[in-house]
Amino acid sequence: MTRTPQEIFEDHGRRLGTGDLDLISGNYAQDAVLITPDGILRGREGVKRGIGRLLADLPDADWALKPQFADGVLFLEWSAVGPTARVDDGVDTFVFRDGAIQAQTVRYTLVTP
């Protein structure tokens, strides 16, 4: 059974809550592409590195998400406030294919006191 983008996104949120990068990357296709402020990362290993860095920058953060779905694409505005840093302007775009995340772009400004 193929999952909808909404189902994948809900599952992705649960996996992010665990902090387990192997589990998190399981929602991505093997040949996924993650475009970050630092460059293009490819495959599940690249996804793990990119998400791992973001989670390391924002440990124990409180996240606010505003998702908007349209035709297999998710546009996500987000913010996060952690004990050592915050993001006020996060924007991700996810492209879904065959029940997995095929591509993601991420843009944010990390603010540290």
Side-chain angles (χ1 to χ4, degrees):
M1 181 169 112
T2 301
R3 300 179 300 167
T4 67
Q6 291 88 342
E7 290 169 329
I8 297 167
F9 180 65
E10 288 174 15
D11 186 52
H12 189 56
R14 286 190 294 274
R15 291 178 185 210
L16 282 170
T18 70
D20 181 334
L21 294 175
D22 287 325
L23 184 63
I24 293 165
S25 67
N27 270 328
Y28 289 80
Q30 289 286 355
D31 60 347
V33 175
L34 175 61
I35 302 172
T36 74
D38 296 322
I40 298 172
L41 304 168
R42 297 184 187 281
R44 285 187 178 157
E45 288 303 313
V47 167
K48 284 169 42 175
R49 284 193 313 274
I51 292 175
R53 180 170 179 189
L54 178 62
L55 293 177
D57 284 341
L58 293 162
D60 302 318
D62 291 322
W63 299 77
L65 309 174
K66 183 181 172 188
Q68 298 176 46
F69 293 93
D71 297 327
V73 175
L74 163 63
F75 179 75
L76 178 67
E77 294 176 282
W78 59 273
S79 61
V81 178
T84 59
R86 77 176 196 276
V87 170
D88 300 318
D89 63 349
V91 175
D92 290 19
T93 303
F94 295 82
V95 177
F96 299 89
R97 186 182 76 201
D98 299 330
I101 301 167
Q102 182 64 44
Q104 177 184 356
T105 63
V106 102
R107 184 193 61 76
Y108 61 93
T109 305
L110 187 69
V111 178
T112 55

